[in-house]
Amino acid sequence: MSSVNNKRIAKNTVYLYLRMLLVMAVSLYTVRAILDILGVVDYGIYNVVGGVVTMFAFMNRTLATSSQRYFSIALAKNDHEDLKRVFSLNLTVFSLLGVIVVFLLETVGLWFVNNKMTIPVERLGAANVVYQLSIISMLFHIVVIPYMALVIAYEKMNVFAIIGVVEAIGKLGIVFLLTVIAFDRLIVYGVLVLLLAFGTSLWYIFYCLKHYPESHFRWYWNKKEALELLGFSGWHFLGTFSITCRSQGINILLNMFFNPAVNAARAVAYQVYGAVHQLVTNFFTAVKPQIYKSYASAQHDEMFKLVMRSSLFSMYLISLLIFPLIASTEFVLGLWLKELPEYTIVFVQLVLLNGLVDSVDAPLSATALATGKIRKYEIAVSSVILANIPISYVALKMGSNPDITMVISIILSCIDVFVRTLMLKGMMNFPMKKYMVLFAKVLVVSAILTFICKFVLLDIVNSIWQVILVSLVVFILQTLLYALITDKSDREAVVCIIKKRIGKH
């Protein structure tokens, strides 16, 4: 990869890292505030009812990835006419799919909410209002997908970061308004989330219309290209749907076997995970266009190196945050939340470990998506991920505690990494053995750090200064362990960069 591309990735990562810091801080604060304002029951209702919409909104991530792939390849070929056609076709196809999803949500989804979910009778009316508001929010997210994908394909991460900051400020505004509006707060929360989705969508659209001529919609329809897009998106739907099922499907299972308080505990855990995982997501958002462009330029060896390095760096970045959190979970949550729903602590610790394993999914998926031939890959990967639902159901039916669902998820996530690399080896001679050896080394390092954090450091954290000290100890230990498992060439490259930086000062 050229030094220009490395510099672009580094610069974009900085933009996204700064965005992540603010978004993470705001997310952690707003979760605490909203949980306190709504209460455990209403907060659990919002997450589980919104989860039904999310199960159908899995298409958002699929369509965004599909758009980025096609847009990045068109840009790599410097074919702006093709980009215009692909953009308009994407917008047309996505709008049609949106209509289909709304139909399913207003029939099957609505029946499920009112007949199968554990919701207090007195809150059923508010739950239905929130459900309808969530559907409208989802529509805004679908329409804006091609515009957001265009910004990312052009690698304008500063714009992406600015909009993320504005969205974070909007979330703070929601907390404030919830405290002053005298009405059903669950419904008010749903309305405010909808308005925020509408505002950020308009911002993306207006920015693209102003800066990118390709974003000016013109009617374009090509049956062959539309079927190719649907075929690609359709198989990728399977992959993202399986991930959504694991998350929201298990959320619904827990609601069926337990009560909304358990859903609230799980929602808190995933808010913590989401805030932490933003770091990896933002880093890989800067890397992903380069993977697509490397494949389009037939630079496969460079692409493999980028996938290996981004996978290792993703796990390192997320480890910097999750292990100090595991070592100080109870203390940090006690500072953050006024009321801790039962199972919150163990949920947080397990979901963070699950997120560490899942952090390599994005580089591996991008490699498969770059080829455009993903049918067998998505079937194999989805089969492993979807296994979470029946296995978790059996475990819960046998009387297991709700945290068993996360243990099952961690085990299946490890199997999933093996399946992904095996499929990539068959697709494009991916260096599977080298990748799995590296992954196994990271798992060993993670097991060591987990043991130290949970069984050595956990009981000694009783103040913010001890949290800082533990974080520093974990950082030093983790960096040393990762240095031992990193290739010599990569270590030398990092040392060279540090020396150059020191030499400038």
Side-chain angles (χ1 to χ4, degrees):
M1 182 179 297
S2 69
S3 60
V4 174
N5 287 338
N6 284 330
K7 289 179 180 177
R8 184 185 297 117
I9 291 175
K11 182 177 71 173
N12 287 335
T13 301
V14 169
Y15 285 134
L16 295 171
Y17 185 78
L18 294 174
R19 172 187 184 270
M20 181 276 302
L21 289 177
L22 180 61
V23 170
M24 182 172 67
V26 170
S27 295
L28 292 175
Y29 168 74
T30 54
V31 169
R32 170 186 172 173
I34 291 170
L35 178 58
D36 184 46
I37 293 169
L38 295 183
V40 171
V41 173
D42 272 6
Y43 186 71
I45 289 172
Y46 182 85
N47 279 278
V48 77
V49 169
V52 176
V53 176
T54 303
M55 285 193 67
F56 285 89
F58 68 91
M59 62 183 296
N60 288 19
R61 292 191 300 276
T62 304
L63 300 179
T65 302
S66 300
S67 295
Q68 290 171 32
R69 187 258 181 189
Y70 282 101
F71 296 172
S72 295
I73 288 178
L75 286 172
K77 296 177 180 178
N78 200 28
D79 191 342
H80 291 275
E81 284 301 316
D82 183 49
L83 183 56
K84 289 180 183 178
R85 292 192 295 271
V86 172
F87 179 88
S88 295
L89 186 63
N90 271 251
L91 195 55
T92 301
V93 172
F94 294 175
S95 298
L96 293 174
L97 290 174
V99 172
I100 295 173
V101 170
V102 169
F103 174 77
L104 292 173
L105 286 169
E106 293 291 6
T107 52
V108 178
L110 191 61
W111 170 83
F112 189 85
V113 167
N114 286 283
N115 293 277
K116 294 297 181 180
M117 308 214 73
T118 304
I119 299 173
V121 176
E122 66 274 11
R123 302 304 291 149
L124 191 58
N128 274 275
V129 173
V130 167
Y131 180 74
Q132 296 300 326
L133 293 171
S134 299
I135 292 175
I136 300 172
S137 296
M138 184 206 67
L139 282 176
F140 286 136
H141 288 304
I142 292 176
V143 171
V144 81
I145 286 171
Y147 299 94
M148 187 187 302
L150 195 60
V151 171
I152 295 174
Y154 269 105
E155 300 185 60
K156 295 293 183 180
M157 301 307 169
N158 57 331
V159 176
F160 186 70
I162 290 170
I163 297 176
V165 170
V166 172
E167 189 173 9
I169 294 172
K171 290 180 180 179
L172 289 175
I174 288 176
V175 172
F176 171 74
L177 291 172
L178 279 174
T179 62
V180 299
I181 297 177
F183 191 67
D184 189 310
R185 284 174 172 168
L186 180 58
I187 295 176
V188 171
Y189 182 55
V191 171
L192 294 175
V193 170
L194 169 60
L195 292 175
L196 183 59
F198 176 69
T200 53
S201 298
L202 283 183
W203 193 326
Y204 273 111
I205 292 171
F206 287 149
Y207 178 85
C208 289
L209 290 175
K210 181 178 179 180
H211 293 89
Y212 306 130
E214 301 91 346
S215 66
H216 292 265
F217 178 78
R218 61 175 183 176
W219 174 253
Y220 174 74
W221 183 261
N222 182 295
K223 183 178 178 180
K224 181 180 178 181
E225 292 178 8
L227 290 175
E228 179 185 344
L229 174 62
L230 285 171
F232 179 84
S233 299
W235 288 115
H236 191 41
F237 272 148
L238 184 60
T240 52
F241 178 66
S242 64
I243 295 172
T244 301
C245 277
R246 184 184 65 181
S247 176
Q248 299 303 329
I250 290 176
N251 204 26
I252 292 171
L253 277 182
L254 291 175
N255 180 262
M256 293 169 63
F257 282 92
F258 300 97
N259 56 58
V262 174
N263 292 114
R266 192 174 185 275
V268 169
Y270 270 89
Q271 287 289 345
V272 175
Y273 165 71
V276 171
H277 202 255
Q278 277 296 318
L279 176 58
V280 173
T281 301
N282 288 332
F283 164 69
F284 193 68
T285 298
V287 176
K288 189 174 359 179
Q290 289 299 323
I291 289 180
Y292 294 148
K293 291 173 183 178
S294 295
Y295 180 82
S297 303
Q299 297 176 327
H300 291 177
D301 288 340
E302 291 297 323
M303 181 180 69
F304 293 153
K305 289 179 182 178
L306 182 57
V307 172
M308 295 280 289
R309 289 172 179 171
S310 61
S311 295
L312 181 63
F313 196 55
S314 293
M315 297 189 81
Y316 175 76
L317 282 177
I318 199 169
S319 295
L320 288 177
L321 293 175
I322 73 167
F323 288 113
L325 281 174
I326 288 174
S328 54
T329 310
E330 187 171 1
F331 177 77
V332 171
L333 289 179
L335 290 176
W336 176 35
L337 301 174
K338 295 181 180 179
E339 180 183 358
L340 283 182
E342 188 181 4
Y343 294 109
T344 300
I345 293 174
V346 67
F347 276 3
V348 168
Q349 293 174 336
L350 289 174
V351 80
L352 288 176
L353 290 174
N354 201 168
L356 175 65
V357 179
D358 286 346
S359 64
V360 303
D361 289 355
L364 295 174
S365 290
T367 308
L369 293 170
T371 69
K373 300 175 182 178
I374 59 173
R375 180 173 64 88
K376 293 181 180 179
Y377 176 88
E378 295 292 1
I379 291 174
V381 169
S382 300
S383 298
V384 176
I385 297 174
L386 285 172
N388 275 275
I389 305 301
I391 295 175
S392 294
Y393 177 81
V394 171
L396 294 175
K397 193 73 174 176
M398 292 173 64
S400 298
N401 290 331
D403 53 335
I404 190 63
T405 58
M406 293 186 179
V407 175
I408 292 168
S409 181
I410 292 171
I411 295 171
L412 289 176
S413 289
C414 292
I415 297 173
D416 178 56
V417 174
F418 173 80
V419 172
R420 288 178 187 271
T421 54
L422 180 64
M423 298 305 297
L424 286 174
K425 179 176 175 59
M427 293 166 64
M428 56 194 314
N429 200 29
F430 184 80
M432 176 186 176
K433 182 178 178 180
K434 184 177 180 181
Y435 190 96
M436 288 306 301
V437 168
L438 179 63
F439 181 72
K441 289 179 179 178
V442 173
L443 287 184
V444 172
V445 168
S446 301
I448 295 171
L449 290 171
T450 301
F451 178 83
I452 293 173
C453 290
K454 190 166 178 62
F455 298 105
V456 179
L457 300 175
L458 184 63
D459 293 333
I460 69 172
V461 179
N462 297 302
S463 71
I464 192 65
W465 295 111
Q466 288 173 328
V467 171
I468 294 172
L469 179 60
V470 165
S471 299
L472 180 61
V473 170
V474 172
F475 167 73
I476 294 172
L477 180 60
Q478 176 187 328
T479 302
L480 290 174
L481 290 172
Y482 267 78
L484 291 175
I485 65 175
T486 304
D487 286 346
K488 182 179 178 181
S489 60
D490 289 339
R491 288 199 301 269
E492 291 175 349
V494 172
V495 172
C496 183
I497 291 172
I498 293 173
K499 287 181 177 179
K500 287 182 179 179
R501 292 296 178 189
I502 294 175
K504 289 182 179 180
H505 298 287

